[in-house]
Amino acid sequence: MTQKTDRYTISLSDCLEDIAENFIYAESEYSHVPPFVLVPIMFEAVNDLIDEFSTNPEKYISDRLREKIDEAVSEYLAAA
């Protein structure tokens, strides 16, 4: 069973400015800063989270997602 990975691509360029805007909104002392100033730092933050997730995914997988994992594994094993 092969899976095309391109459907799982996340475009950070589409969301980093939104992340920076949300950060600026939450941290009012930065309200005078345009989002593009923080985009490189938000990229680092997202990259750090991906690294942490890759080394400790259990920390981020909710009970709902655990159920989905169990279902996917069961379906895969049943089809094998």
Side-chain angles (χ1 to χ4, degrees):
M1 175 181 245
T2 57
Q3 187 102 30
K4 287 187 63 126
T5 57
D6 61 348
R7 71 181 205 169
Y8 299 110
T9 300
I10 297 171
S11 174
L12 288 179
S13 59
D14 289 343
C15 62
L16 283 175
E17 191 164 329
D18 289 340
I19 294 169
E21 286 177 358
N22 290 337
F23 181 80
I24 290 167
Y25 179 77
E27 305 291 330
S28 60
E29 67 265 27
Y30 302 126
S31 62
H32 59 285
V33 177
F36 74 85
V37 172
L38 299 180
V39 166
I41 300 161
M42 295 302 122
F43 175 78
E44 285 185 49
V46 170
N47 195 46
D48 289 349
L49 284 172
I50 292 168
D51 287 344
E52 188 174 330
F53 177 78
S54 70
T55 59
N56 189 12
E58 298 83 16
K59 178 178 176 182
Y60 299 95
I61 296 176
S62 65
D63 291 340
R64 179 185 65 81
L65 290 175
R66 176 64 64 189
E67 288 176 19
K68 285 183 148 188
I69 289 169
D70 291 343
E71 289 172 14
V73 170
S74 293
E75 287 176 16
Y76 175 79
L77 293 174

